[in-house]
Structure formats: C-alpha cells, structure tokens
C-alpha cells in the first residue's frame, strides 16, 4: 500500500508541520517514508506545500505527480491541485475555507471544517491537527495512537503543555471526518 | 543496531561528514544547501572541529586548501553558482594533490537561475569545471541513506587518492527527509606525515604547490596524476542495474531522475513493458562498460536528466551507435514527471 499525500495551504497554517508529523509517525510504524517540502521562499500568507509518501514498499520517486490524497487547507490549494488527484483518490478539504466542490466524479471527497473545530477548542492554531485527525480517518494511512505517541516524543519541551489540546483537536477532526 | 532517524539529505551529509572525522568546514550560504553549514555551525564545533562562514565561496575553497595542507579532513559545500566560483580552487587541489570533500546541491541555472532542483552541472562536475587535465570521483546519491553512506566513503577516497571528491546532488536530495541509519565510518587511517605541512621539527621541509616553470616538470606531474586517474577509473566506478536482464528498453539516469525512472520502470512493467534502469552512482568514473555490455541485449536506451542533456553524451560514447538513444530532459529547475516519461516510453515502444 502506498499513500501519496500533498499537503497544501497558506504559509502559517501548519502545512509543513502536518507533513512532518505524518513522516515521523510513519517511521514509528516502520513504514518507508519520504517528505519533500516546497522550500526557500515560503512566508506567512504565501503558499506552502509538502509531499509525503508513506509506503510498505521501497519508495521509488519522492516527487508526487498524482497524489492519492490532497489535503487542501484553502481554496487556492484546492484549485491548484484538484486535477492532479489520482482516479479513485481523495480530496480532503478544510470546509471552513474551501467552499467549492470538485468538478470531477472520479475521486472521493471528505470535507471537514477544521478552522471551526479549532475555534471551538479556543485555539485556531489547532486547525492543522484537526486535519491530521481527518486524514488518518479518511485514508487509514497510520494509526491515531501512533501519531499521539509520536507527538509526545517529537514535540519540544516548551510545547509539551499544548499536548492535550493538540490531541483533542486531532480526535475531533478524526471523529468529524466522513468520506463520501 | 543503530537508531533510525529522519533527516534532510543536507543534514545527513553534514552528520556523516562529522562522523567521518571532519575537522574543518568552510562555506558560504546559498539555497538549497543551507542546512549543511547550519548543521556544521551547530554540531561540528561541539565535536572539536572548526566551522567558518567565509566571506565568499572563493575564500571557502581556499580555506579548504589550507586546512587540507595540514592533513586535516576538510570540506566545503555550495550550490551551482557557488560551485562555479570554487572551480579554480578545485583545480588547485588536484594540482597540489590535496584531499577534500566538496558538495554541490544543484539548483536551476545558468546564471543565478533559481533555487529549484537541477542536474545541469554534470558537465562542470565530470568534464572539469576548472582548468587543466584533472579528474575527480563524483558520487551521485539518490536517497538520504546513500547520501550519508557516500559522504563517509568520499572522505576515505579523498585521502586514499589525495584528490578532491565531489558529492553531486540535486535540491530534492538536499531538501527531502527520509529515514536513515548512520553506518559506522570505516575507521581507515591515512598516514599523511610524508607530505603534510605543520611544525617541521627535525624532518625535511615539505612543499605543497601546483606551480613549476622548469621545463617538463608539469608534464611529468600530469603523467603522475594520470596514473592515479586510471586507478580510480579501474577501481572506483559504482553503478546499480535495476531489472535490466530482460529489458527491451533501459533507462539511464542518476540521482533524483533515477528515482523517477525507477517509478516509471515499476509502473511500465505492470503494464507489460519490459524496462530497466542503469543508475550511475559515480558519474565519474562513468559506467561505460556496463552500458556498453547492455547494448548486446537492449536496443533502446532512454536517458532522463534535469537538464537539456549532458550525461547523454557519455551514454552515446558508451553505446557507440549500437542502439537508439532517447532523451527526456527538464532544464532550469523543472522536474521530470512520471506521466510524461511514461507517455514518451509508450511512443518509443510502439515503433
């Protein structure tokens, strides 16, 4: 099984962090993984994306021509990548910002209002974590428990106090995700 | 067993260098290789090494020359435009028979270009970007694991041959994170007492330079260097052959392009096309014999590069007209896309 995931959104939405977390967690599950970020000129408010491949087999190319899952945190990312999703792949959209529906019927979709989920928890920075939860549910790429444990291991000490709310956001995203 | 870690290619190269006993790193910042100097600044000094952010690339390569004269393991890294600036120093290192490890994480050119991945420095790397008759081993890793392994090897080979060694990667290799396990360095030691500079005490004086105006001396020196280059050609070539045994068409690609071709090989085999891949791990010495031998059973070679076509010239020299050669290239920071290569492959196979 090979998951080819493109995470995309505004700089500052935690797009790279999502990819990082999935990459570290995949390693914890002893999967093969590659993480390739758009680098260099990223800035808050600009566009950000990264490509993560998680596979049971050796990964040939780390470059994703057609993703199995597109995680679109905003509408620009949706527009930019939607046609590239593999047939039978999944558009996972942040429905708090993405209002469009895909104009193609050969992919599946999962819309989760992750900004609203984060705001309901009182911290809008948690939207990306809610999205990771939704990704885990809709793709089955990794176990939620693995990701929880990886966060405990990889969060720097000064962020450990935010562990609860991060995990709560992830759980809420997981619970809210429904694949259509 | 050593622990598996997740690292960028750039960081893995830096860590592998430190584990190989690197004593001196000199560099000047340029994207997409900045993680190397950043890692060195944070970690090399803690291991007792020296890190200097030089005032320019030219200064950095000449600091490498100086440090290497004293017998220390020395290294510099940069990206394409910065590596162009180092060419004079590289020629001097070869001329003076000095070991060094140089890393080029290639970006789009020519000129200042962009910061996207590229393989357009092939000519510069293997045909001598600097002046004079010189050669150096050029490693082209395709994974983060291989980047670390070949970095360790590069230090040994540099010392063994008293010659600079180049690690040639593209920005994807540098920026990508993958899990890897650091292997133990070889632990080989090299006696440099017969040539290195330093506190002379009672020994005869040593002289390291690359200049002689006396008649015939430089020619003789070149013949000496040639013996070394011939030995490298004979002993240091590395190549991977992937599914070439029964292949009707064989891709030839290195680094990230090779990974993309591997994906195409896997996919095309599922669709019934017998394809394979020859991946040079050293682009100098070039695996000419392996390609040449392959022409006995394969009549189509498909070269893929992130350039307008540079390595293809060496493939042509190896094939010598005995098979057709096809090409797919993306210059200036473009990345070859699997579907595009697949489409071209199907057109070739139709004929």
């Amino acid at each position: 099984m090979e998951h080819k995931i493109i995470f995309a959104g505004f700089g500052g939405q935690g797009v790279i962090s999502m990819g990082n977390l999935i990459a570290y967690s995949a390693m914890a599950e002893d999967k093969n993984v590659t993480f390739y970020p758009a680098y260099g000129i990223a800035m808050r408010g600009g566009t950000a994306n990264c490509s993560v491949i998680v596979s049971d087999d050796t990964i040939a190319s780390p470059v994703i021509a057609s993703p199995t899952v597109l995680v679109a945190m905003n509408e620009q990312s949706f527009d930019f990548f939607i046609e590239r999703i593999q047939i039978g792949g999944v558009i996972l959209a942040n429905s708090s910002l993405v209002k469009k529906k895909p104009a193609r019927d050969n992919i599946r979709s999962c819309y989760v209002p992750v900004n609203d989920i984060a705001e309901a928890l009182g911290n809008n920075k948690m939207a990306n974590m809610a999205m990771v939860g939704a990704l885990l549910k809709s793709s089955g790429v990794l176990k939620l428990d693995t990701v929880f444990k990886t966060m405990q291991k990889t969060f720097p000490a000064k962020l450990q106090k935010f562990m609860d709310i991060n995990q709560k956001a992830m759980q809420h995203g997981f619970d809210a995700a429904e694949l259509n | 067993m050593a622990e598996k870690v997740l690292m960028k290619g750039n960081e893995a190269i830096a860590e592998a260098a430190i584990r190989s006993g690197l004593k001196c790193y000199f560099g000047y910042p340029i994207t997409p290789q900045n993680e190397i100097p950043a890692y060195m600044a944070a970690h090399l000094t803690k291991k007792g090494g020296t890190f200097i952010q030089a005032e320019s690339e030219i200064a950095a390569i000449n600091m490498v020359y100086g440090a290497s004269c004293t017998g220390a393991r020395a290294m510099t890294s940069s990206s394409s435009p910065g590596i162009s600036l180092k060419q004079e120093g590289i020629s001097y290192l070869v001329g003076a028979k000095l070991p060094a490890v140089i890393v080029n994480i290639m970006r789009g050119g020519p000129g200042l270009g962009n910061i996207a991945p590229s393989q357009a420095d092939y000519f510069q790397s293997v045909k001598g970007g600097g002046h004079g008759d010189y050669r150096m081993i050029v490693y082209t890793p395709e994974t983060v694991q291989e980047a670390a392994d070949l970095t360790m090897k590069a230090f040994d080979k540099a010392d063994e041959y008293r010659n600079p060694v180049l690690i040639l990667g593209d920005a994807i290799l540098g920026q990508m994170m993958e899990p890897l396990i650091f292997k133990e360095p070889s632990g080989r030691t090299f006696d440099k007492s017969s040539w290195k500079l330093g506190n002379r005490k009672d020994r005869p004086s040593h002289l390291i330079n690359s200049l002689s105006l006396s008649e015939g001396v430089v020619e003789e020196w070149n013949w000496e260097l040639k013996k070394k280059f011939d030995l490298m050609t004979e002993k240091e070539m590395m190549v991977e052959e992937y599914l070439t045994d029964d292949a009707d068409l064989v891709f030839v690609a290195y680094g990230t392009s090779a990974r993309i071709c591997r994906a195409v090989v896997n996919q095309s085999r599922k669709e019934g096309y017998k394809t394979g891949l020859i991946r040079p791990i050293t682009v100098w010495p070039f695996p000419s014999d392996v390609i040449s031998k392959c022409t006995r059973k394969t009549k189509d070679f498909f070269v893929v590069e992130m350039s307008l076509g540079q390595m293809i010239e060496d493939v042509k020299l190896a094939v010598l007209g005995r098979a057709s050669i096809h090409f797919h290239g993306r210059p200036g920071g473009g990345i070859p896309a699997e579907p595009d290569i697949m489409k071209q492959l199907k057109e070739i196979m139709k004929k």
Side-chain angles (χ1 to χ4, degrees), chain B residues 18-276:
Chain B
I18 294 171
R19 288 178 187 229
S20 304
L22 176 70
K23 282 283 169 281
C24 300
Y25 173 90
F26 311 102
Y28 186 82
I30 182 170
T31 305
Q33 63 82 56
N34 282 327
E35 290 81 3
I36 298 177
Y39 197 95
M40 292 300 182
H43 299 280
L44 177 59
T45 47
K46 283 183 200 149
K47 297 275 159 60
T50 298
F51 164 87
I52 293 179
Q53 180 173 319
E55 68 270 33
S56 73
E57 286 87 349
I58 297 171
I61 190 74
N62 286 295
M63 289 175 186
V64 167
Y65 184 106
S68 185
C69 282
T70 70
R73 283 194 157 175
M75 171 183 182
T76 186
S77 65
S78 191
S79 179
S80 309
I83 294 290
S84 292
L85 288 167
K86 293 181 197 288
Q87 292 304 319
E88 180 195 51
I90 294 171
S91 172
Y92 276 52
L93 283 163
V94 179
K97 277 183 85 174
L98 289 170
V101 172
I102 299 146
V103 181
N104 181 5
I105 301 297
M106 291 178 278
R107 58 186 252 177
L112 211 45
N114 58 22
I115 59 170
S118 170
Q119 295 181 318
D121 302 350
Y122 180 91
F123 284 151
Q124 183 194 59
S125 307
V126 308
K127 309 289 181 190
H131 58 281
D133 261 326
Y134 79 85
R135 295 293 189 179
M136 59 180 164
I137 299 171
V138 181
Y139 291 119
T140 54
E142 64 158 1
T143 63
V144 172
Q145 177 73 58
E146 199 174 54
D149 296 350
L150 290 175
T151 300
M152 289 183 174
K153 197 176 171 101
F155 279 96
D156 280 352
K157 293 300 166 188
D159 279 346
E160 184 179 328
Y161 291 101
R162 286 179 62 188
N163 203 61
V165 174
L166 181 69
I167 295 169
L168 187 65
D170 58 73
I172 291 179
L173 179 79
Q175 292 299 322
M176 167 179 62
M177 284 204 299
E178 276 186 313
L180 80 155
I181 294 170
F182 283 103
K183 298 186 175 137
E184 282 299 314
S186 71
R188 286 177 69 187
T189 53
F190 297 85
D191 182 8
K192 301 178 180 179
S193 60
S194 67
W195 58 268
K196 73 174 182 185
L197 307 184
N199 189 345
R200 183 158 81 90
K201 289 185 187 149
D202 299 328
R203 66 162 167 77
S205 65
H206 292 159
L207 173 67
I208 296 178
N209 76 353
S210 61
L211 171 76
S212 175
L213 300 176
S214 313
E215 194 180 325
V217 173
V218 173
E219 181 176 4
E220 194 49 45
W221 186 238
N222 270 268
W223 290 116
E224 283 301 311
L225 289 176
K226 183 182 184 298
K227 285 183 198 158
K228 192 166 79 172
F229 301 148
D230 288 346
L231 199 60
M232 289 181 205
T233 308
E234 188 192 323
K235 288 174 67 180
E236 302 305 335
M237 188 276 288
M238 292 173 72
V239 64
E240 180 199 356
E241 288 181 82
Y242 180 65
L243 303 177
T244 52
D245 278 348
D246 64 341
D248 297 323
L249 178 144
V250 168
F251 287 95
V252 186
Y254 66 96
T256 295
S257 292
R259 291 186 73 151
I260 294 166
C261 289
R262 194 186 302 270
V264 175
V265 168
N266 293 343
Q267 181 58 34
S268 62
R269 284 211 166 237
K270 275 184 208 157
E271 296 181 25
Y273 299 97
K274 284 185 187 160
T275 58

Side-chain angles (χ1 to χ4, degrees), chain A residues 90-112:
Chain A
V90 174
I91 165 70
L92 180 56
N94 171 13
S95 58
S96 307
L97 295 178
V98 180
K99 300 302 174 191
K100 291 180 187 167
K101 298 287 172 199
R104 48 185 290 200
D105 55 10
N106 56 3
I107 55 172
R108 306 178 74 189
S109 62
C110 178
Y111 279 65
V112 186

